Amino acid sequence: MKPAFLLLLVGLTSAAAYLAGVRAFGLAGRRLGPALSRVLECAGLTLVFFGANVALGVGAILAARALTGVFVSLYLAHDLVLLVLSLFQALVFTWWRAPSPGQKERAQGGGAIDHT
């Protein structure tokens, strides 16, 4: 029951956001597909960053155990905050890779690309 309720809740707010975007903000409905594609890309990158962060954390903990002889709990690398921070890493990386509007125009023949 709970998963169905959560999906319904997210579905309703997504539908409301779509209507507000199209009607109030004049967004084109055809741009929703590329936006969803970027979301999926971000979700995948989040998992990549999360895996890398957990692996690095576990490695650091095991190294600390080996070098100091002191027990350090692996639970230090097991925190939901790490997933949220991994999402932020993925968002920054995704937006960093995306061309700015000016770069896109220049790449399509609108002038020379400025590398500054």
Side-chain angles (χ1 to χ4, degrees), residues 7-98:
L7 285 174
L8 178 66
L9 187 65
V10 170
L12 289 173
T13 56
S14 296
Y18 175 79
L19 290 174
V22 170
R23 293 183 180 166
F25 298 108
L27 299 175
R30 68 182 182 282
R31 292 182 54 201
L32 190 58
L36 289 173
S37 176
R38 185 169 285 177
V39 166
L40 292 177
E41 179 183 349
C42 242
L45 279 171
T46 298
L47 294 178
V48 169
F49 276 112
F50 183 67
N53 288 329
V54 168
L56 183 64
V58 168
I61 290 168
L62 293 178
R65 283 182 184 180
L67 294 173
T68 65
V70 176
F71 178 78
V72 181
S73 175
L74 287 174
Y75 284 110
L76 289 174
H78 181 269
D79 196 331
L80 187 61
V81 171
L82 192 58
L83 183 59
V84 174
L85 293 174
S86 298
L87 171 64
F88 291 156
Q89 286 177 300
L91 288 170
V92 168
F93 192 76
T94 298
W95 284 104
W96 182 30
R97 287 182 50 229

